[in-house]
Amino acid sequence: DICERLPMSFCVSLDGITRETYESVRIGADFTTVMSNIEEFRSVSNSNGGSVSIAHCLMTENWREFLELLTFAEEREMSVGVNLVLDPRHLSLYQLPVDGLQEVVEALLAQDGDARRRLKRLLPVWDGQVQALAHRLETMRHDGGTPVNPSSPWRRDPDRTADLTRDTDLIAE
């Protein structure tokens, strides 16, 4: 009743666009219920000036569905915020070895033409994530293939093999 009387905004965590993926990430959650809630929130917010957005954790378990998730949101005029997953390490795209991250980047780049046809408002979200992962891959190659926590202010300085330096001390990465 309150949602129908006040302009409210809703943000729903949606970490998969298929039942199998969503329920494997969000243990104990029910995909059908969440999708139904999204549609109900959209109905309410459309009638009173509110909005519905998606918070998405892009990770090893769901990256193959990223374009489908963005397409789903695009078709419903919802925004999508993507969270950087660092821990647990086995779920983090940024903690993959070089060959694993290369597979992800190549697969996403192979979908790029399709993304450009399907996305308009959310194309910057797609581009931002693909570019960030491609940059991470190049950084790892430059650093000798060792995953380094990307949120850490410390990076290996290529001019000093054993030393660590702060990002602010590096001229260019």
Side-chain angles (χ1 to χ4, degrees):
D1 187 45
I2 292 171
C3 295
E4 291 174 356
R5 290 187 290 166
L6 298 173
M8 299 192 73
S9 295
F10 303 91
C11 183
V12 179
S13 294
L14 190 62
D15 296 325
I17 200 63
T18 63
R19 172 186 294 281
E20 178 181 83
T21 300
Y22 180 79
E23 290 181 0
S24 73
V25 172
R26 296 283 174 172
I27 306 299
D30 182 71
F31 181 75
T32 303
T33 300
V34 170
M35 298 307 273
S36 175
N37 286 344
I38 288 173
E39 294 308 322
E40 187 165 334
F41 293 157
R42 285 185 63 243
S43 175
V44 168
S45 66
N46 287 341
S47 70
N48 68 13
S51 66
V52 179
S53 62
I54 293 173
H56 181 69
C57 294
L58 185 60
M59 62 182 101
T60 58
E61 300 293 308
N62 64 13
W63 68 266
R64 288 174 183 84
E65 298 179 2
F66 188 49
L67 180 54
E68 293 305 318
L69 181 125
L70 291 178
T71 301
F72 170 84
E74 178 90 22
E75 290 169 350
R76 288 158 181 79
E77 299 181 353
M78 297 187 307
S79 61
V80 175
V82 179
N83 298 306
L84 177 65
V85 174
L86 297 175
D87 289 308
R89 292 178 65 87
H90 73 279
L91 295 177
S92 175
L93 294 172
Y94 287 81
Q95 301 296 342
L96 287 173
V98 170
D99 58 340
L101 185 54
Q102 181 172 334
E103 176 189 337
V104 171
V105 170
E106 287 175 357
L108 292 174
L109 288 173
Q111 295 180 358
D112 196 63
D114 198 22
R116 297 195 178 290
R117 283 186 294 279
R118 293 163 67 177
L119 304 175
K120 292 181 183 26
R121 288 180 320 93
L122 295 178
L123 187 58
V125 176
W126 170 263
D127 284 342
Q129 294 305 309
V130 174
Q131 290 169 8
L133 290 167
H135 180 263
R136 175 74 176 140
L137 177 60
E138 289 307 311
T139 300
M140 286 177 63
R141 286 180 176 149
H142 185 264
D143 289 346
T146 305
V148 178
N149 184 335
S151 70
S152 170
W154 298 97
R155 306 263 188 215
R156 293 215 178 273
D157 184 338
D159 298 327
R160 293 180 270 162
T161 53
D163 294 346
L164 292 176
T165 186
R166 293 187 60 77
D167 278 347
T168 54
D169 297 333
L170 296 175
I171 295 171
E173 192 170 309

